[in-house]
Amino acid sequence: MRKLAVNAKDCTGCKRCEQACIAAHSRSGSAARAALEQPEAKTRIFIEYEAGPVPVVCRHCVEPLCVSACMAGCMQKDPATGVVTNQGHEQQCVGCWMCIMACPYGVISPSAEADPAAGAKFAVAIKCDLCPDRDTPACVEACPMNVLSVVDVPDPSAIA
Amino acid sequence: MKYVIVGASAAGAQAAEDLRKLDPEADIQIITEESGPPYSRCMISRLADGRLRESELYFKTAHFAEDRRLRYVSGVRVERINAASRNVVCSNGETVAYDELLLATGSRPWIPDIPGRELDGVISFHSLKDAKAIAARAETARTAAVIGAGFAGLEAAYALARRGIQTTVVERCGQILPNQLDAQGAAIIQRDLERMGVRIVLNQSVAGILGPGRATGVALADKPHVQADLVVVATGTEPNKELAQQAGFETGRGIRVSDRLQTSAPHVYAAGDAIEIDDATTGRRMPSATWFNAVLQGKFAAFNMAGRARVYSGAIGIQNAVQFHRVPAISFGQVLVPNESRENVEVLSQTEGDAVYKKLVLKNGRIVGLVFVGDIQKSGFYGALIRHQVDVSRYRHKLLDRDFSYAVFAGGPQFGQRSPYRNLAGLAS
């Protein structure tokens, strides 16, 4: 199973991961133009600060609380890849924000509004999806300090 | 191994799913009074307002039973438990034997003894059936009244308003969401609903529902009548504890369970709205009554039923997320502080204009409650600090700052994994 590993001590806080995340999840593919899109693309990785900058991003938990909290059933952990996402399932996100309430890392956000152009009736929760359409997540590719990397972790069901 | 689960909502369905994962060979049977696959009770308002179809409420998909190889018996009531001989007697006359039994019987609307409650056009708002009844009535209704401004009542009111029906909510207390929010947070949500066209009448009790024959309005104690072609009664819920009670198991307001989710009887577990919990933030015993708790309890009960001990303790009764119109809100733990000095409680709050309000309630250096209205980003992180009883004294000066985040604990414990209620009290001290 894939997971994002964070080696925060080398982080300089350049925020290229945030820009790359926005671009990768925008319609235009550009962070600059994404700001003008409706709804505005938002970053799913966050440069926060303690002593220094720390990227905070979804851990794709073994037993994700966002999944347990989801009243629509759309937030799921893929049994094969381990990726936790509310997109691409039979059940649809209706923007109830239970996942935002449940996520201990505070890395799930509400989308600005329903996206009628995409036929959406509801605002939706947005979070890291590990960039399913790319070989390497955009944030990992963009990081000049190799703070972020994709690692393979054992299937959690084996250690349950 | 034969597992029997009574109820197919959040707790029952989750337990079935986890039992299947834990025991691929087990015989798992769900018995539910309702018809159809498990549906999300929290989403019925979106069916009532026409945005979702019934099949879009199926939170485990339409073919859950086949996918998980469950025996799924719907439209059948369990009438009695014979704990000594380990079986249940059903309304269809069948007796079903179990090795381990889970009672996930949920809750039902509690309706006060208002004159006229039996009239045609008076509907509660708790089930898919209720939502369908409201949707059907809404085709012709022009006016509606909702009694009770809790979550269910406001969800109903919002759905009716979305359908263009002139809707009035009547609430006995001085604020909406009296059990979930404080007055300041509630006022913001109230304005949001009013902008949607919902009329809200506070501090007013209902004298009766007006007839004759079918509902035509609601009589208030000391205000003019509210005209209504449709009356939704949403005055709270009560746990379905009778099955356990009649079997002689320990019950209070709900079914009593141990920290393994076991009832006072061997081989019988209970989870979800039917049980009561000891709230870790207030110390009070209360009905469980939230989707999130029900799912976690269903999961933990499944592990215990399968002989894989998992302790469920430190539960929190108030964990709510809501957005009716434009303003999102989250409340968590002890949000109301009745007597600050006596309880040695400290309150931090912050407002941005009239749209954003954030409040933290602190006790002994730990956060025990929060209200976030208008800006709910990172609320889950604060929720984790509450659940894990983390000492935040060192961060007291910046708890509501924008840059207070999980980063301060990065490299530390994995908050979200496996034991959401594990006490991490020593973490930051």
Side-chain angles (χ1 to χ4, degrees), chain B residues 55-229:
Chain B
S55 63
E56 292 173 314
L57 265 49
Y58 298 158
F59 63 98
K60 293 290 188 194
T61 78
H63 24 82
F64 174 59
E66 303 88 82
D67 285 354
R68 303 286 186 265
R69 292 176 289 117
L70 311 171
R71 280 206 271 168
Y72 194 88
V73 181
S74 56
V76 171
R77 230 184 114 74
V78 170
E79 307 276 12
R80 200 169 70 241
I81 305 166
N82 296 315
S85 43
R86 279 206 235 174
N87 61 51
V88 296
V89 179
C90 301
S91 55
N92 60 1
E94 272 183 50
T95 298
V96 179
Y98 64 82
D99 292 316
E100 305 290 334
L101 174 67
L102 178 67
L103 301 176
T105 45
S107 57
R108 61 175 176 272
W110 175 81
I111 298 173
D113 194 12
I114 316 170
R117 57 186 256 188
E118 74 293 340
L119 291 172
D120 185 36
V122 180
I123 305 170
S124 54
F125 197 59
H126 190 70
S127 64
L128 184 55
K129 210 172 122 203
D130 294 334
K132 285 177 176 171
I134 288 173
R137 290 273 171 178
E139 298 285 336
T140 53
R142 282 178 316 176
T143 55
V146 177
I147 304 174
F151 272 120
L154 296 182
E155 286 270 350
Y158 179 64
L160 290 163
R162 278 190 72 96
R163 301 190 67 127
I165 294 166
Q166 199 188 322
T167 304
T168 305
V169 180
V170 184
E171 167 60 45
R172 242 168 30 160
C173 298
Q175 66 166 82
I176 62 166
L177 299 169
N179 297 321
Q180 285 86 17
L181 283 183
D182 62 2
Q184 201 173 341
I188 300 174
I189 302 295
Q190 180 171 342
R191 281 198 301 274
D192 187 44
L193 279 161
E194 285 167 346
R195 271 194 293 268
M196 183 68 195
V198 176
R199 184 172 155 243
I200 294 172
V201 181
L202 300 172
N203 294 308
Q204 195 60 227
S205 54
V206 169
I209 299 166
L210 305 168
R214 55 171 299 166
T216 56
V218 169
L220 304 182
D222 48 42
K223 281 208 169 169
H225 295 170
V226 175
Q227 207 183 56
D229 304 323

Side-chain angles (χ1 to χ4, degrees), chain A residues 70-96:
Chain A
C70 179
M71 66 181 205
C74 65
M75 190 68 84
Q76 297 175 17
K77 183 175 178 69
D78 189 293
T81 63
V83 173
V84 177
T85 178
N86 57 338
Q87 296 298 311
H89 304 125
E90 188 175 323
Q91 303 92 329
Q92 65 172 312
C93 179
V94 299
C96 76

Side-chain angles (χ1 to χ4, degrees), chain B residues 48 52 76 80 93 181 257 265 283 299 306 344 360 385 389 426:
Chain B
L52 292 180
V76 171
R80 200 169 70 241
L181 283 183
V257 293
K299 176 183 276 292
N344 190 26
L360 296 177
L385 297 177
Q389 300 174 26

Side-chain angles (χ1 to χ4, degrees), chain A residues 3 6 8 42-43 46-57 59-74 76-77 79 89-114 121-123 126 155-160, chain B residues 14 18 40 42-43 46 50-53 55-63 162 290-292 295-296 299-300 303 308 310 319-323 326 328-332 376-384 387-388 394-395 398 402-410 413-420:
Chain A
K3 204 167 186 140
V6 179
K42 287 185 175 179
T43 183
F46 305 88
I47 297 300
E48 301 281 4
Y49 295 86
E50 176 48 359
V54 180
V56 178
V57 64
R59 309 313 303 138
H60 297 277
C61 296
V62 174
E63 277 192 337
L65 290 178
C66 58
V67 171
S68 291
C70 179
M71 66 181 205
C74 65
Q76 297 175 17
K77 183 175 178 69
H89 304 125
E90 188 175 323
Q91 303 92 329
Q92 65 172 312
C93 179
V94 299
C96 76
W97 317 139
M98 299 273 274
C99 55
I100 295 176
M101 177 198 79
C103 173
Y105 302 102
V107 291
I108 310 180
S109 314
S111 73
E113 62 206 80
K121 293 179 190 151
F122 304 99
I126 54 179
D155 178 356
S157 64
I159 50 170
Chain B
Q14 185 62 42
D18 281 308
S40 179
C42 300
M43 292 187 3
R46 292 166 177 86
R51 281 185 293 175
L52 292 180
R53 297 186 306 268
S55 63
E56 292 173 314
L57 265 49
Y58 298 158
F59 63 98
K60 293 290 188 194
T61 78
H63 24 82
R162 278 190 72 96
T290 72
W291 182 270
F292 186 27
V295 171
L296 288 176
K299 176 183 276 292
F300 277 59
F303 274 78
R308 307 269 294 268
R310 276 184 88 166
Q319 300 192 60
N320 294 306
V322 70
Q323 177 165 349
R326 296 234 180 276
I330 304 261
S331 64
F332 209 110
I376 59 172
Q377 198 84 33
K378 290 190 216 171
S379 53
F381 163 62
Y382 291 89
R387 281 198 309 272
H388 295 304
R394 327 175 17 188
Y395 307 104
K398 63 171 198 179
R402 228 166 239 295
D403 69 351
F404 183 63
S405 75
Y406 175 72
V408 303
F409 302 105
Q414 300 276 296
F415 277 162
Q417 315 273 341
R418 304 204 163 266
S419 301

Side-chain angles (χ1 to χ4, degrees), chain B residues 273-285:
Chain B
D273 284 12
I275 73 167
E276 52 179 36
I277 57 169
D278 293 307
D279 185 288
T281 60
T282 61
R284 291 197 197 99
R285 194 168 283 187

